[in-house]
Amino acid sequence: MDLEEFLSENGIPPSPNQHEHSPHQPGLQQATSASPSVMDLSSRASTSVHPGMVSQNCMQSPVRPGQILPTNRNTPSPIDPETIQVPVGYEPDPADLALSSIPGQEMFDPRKRKFSEEELKPQPMIKKARKVFIPDDLKDDKYWARRRKNNMAAKRSRDARRLKENQIAIRASFLEKENSALRQEVADLRKELGKCKNVLAKYEARHGPL
């Protein structure tokens, strides 16, 4: 009798490795080989997916309207417009800055100083009161004290108005420079956006829409 026939008749596997591991439990050997473990299934599932398939599909699938985005996306935080610094080549005259600054206080900075709508409202023309002639015999000490007080108040008012006008003028000059720089930046960004749109249109014409 041949050896292989003898082994098959007695239910002994012909492989020496299998015979060495389980010579007395052939049925158990077949049962365990037919039902893989959980670890085997997980390893097979993980190795059956192509490594570049997920990332490629994510890159090629745009966000559809109404689609729920994953919560773990690295979304950039919003930017406060007040913190954006626009490079502007503006250097005001030091003499103008001196005329726009309060003596003994910090120098006026047109980049930081902002005026409210109430401050920028046009001021009405105030018509001066008609002068009343007062004879010299009525110009007593009370008259001269009141006269000095009125003159000081009028001078403070003129100085404050002139200071505010100087500050608004320098601020407006700076905003003109900043507006010009922003318009140039917008033009550059629109040019770059046009190039990106052309590249995208060529790609979709060849490969279809994304």
Side-chain angles (χ1 to χ4, degrees):
M1 181 182 294
D2 190 11
L3 179 61
E4 293 183 356
E5 294 177 358
F6 175 78
L7 294 176
S8 62
E9 287 180 0
N10 293 275
I12 301 174
S15 176
N17 295 332
Q18 294 180 359
H19 177 71
E20 183 178 1
H21 285 289
S22 59
H24 301 290
Q25 296 179 356
L28 183 61
Q29 176 83 21
Q30 295 176 359
T32 54
S33 62
S35 60
S37 63
V38 178
M39 185 179 298
D40 295 335
L41 291 175
S42 61
S43 62
R44 291 180 185 178
S46 61
T47 55
S48 62
V49 181
H50 193 274
M53 186 181 298
V54 177
S55 60
Q56 186 176 2
N57 293 336
C58 292
M59 293 176 62
Q60 292 182 357
S61 58
V63 179
R64 304 297 181 186
Q67 181 179 357
I68 301 176
L69 297 177
T71 57
N72 57 350
R73 295 177 68 235
N74 188 13
T75 304
S77 58
I79 300 176
D80 185 7
E82 301 296 334
T83 60
I84 299 177
Q85 297 291 336
V86 181
V88 180
Y90 176 71
E91 294 295 336
D93 190 358
D96 296 338
L97 289 179
L99 293 175
S100 304
S101 304
I102 301 177
Q105 296 187 10
E106 186 179 359
M107 189 68 68
F108 174 73
D109 189 357
R111 296 173 176 82
K112 298 180 180 179
R113 178 67 166 92
K114 297 181 180 180
F115 297 91
S116 63
E117 295 183 2
E118 188 67 25
E119 291 177 310
L120 296 176
K121 282 185 177 180
Q123 300 297 325
M125 298 295 295
I126 300 177
K127 188 178 181 180
K128 292 184 178 182
R130 185 178 180 180
K131 292 183 178 182
V132 179
F133 177 75
I134 299 177
D136 294 338
D137 55 349
L138 297 178
K139 295 179 180 179
D140 52 3
D141 295 338
K142 291 183 179 181
Y143 167 80
W144 291 112
R146 187 171 61 254
R147 179 81 177 267
R148 287 191 297 269
K149 185 178 180 180
N150 291 340
N151 290 341
M152 293 177 62
K155 184 178 183 303
R156 286 196 300 268
S157 178
R158 289 193 302 268
D159 292 342
R161 185 178 66 252
R162 189 178 298 111
L163 178 69
K164 181 180 176 181
E165 291 175 353
N166 294 339
Q167 291 179 351
I168 292 176
I170 296 180
R171 173 70 174 172
S173 179
F174 167 73
L175 292 178
E176 288 287 342
K177 297 286 187 181
E178 186 181 46
N179 185 48
S180 178
L182 288 174
R183 286 181 178 274
Q184 183 62 41
E185 186 174 349
V186 170
D188 296 340
L189 290 176
R190 287 183 177 179
K191 184 179 179 180
E192 190 69 22
L193 178 61
K195 292 180 180 179
C196 295
K197 287 183 177 180
N198 292 336
V199 173
L200 181 60
K202 292 179 180 179
Y203 178 85
E204 291 182 346
R206 294 180 180 178
H207 307 282
L210 295 176

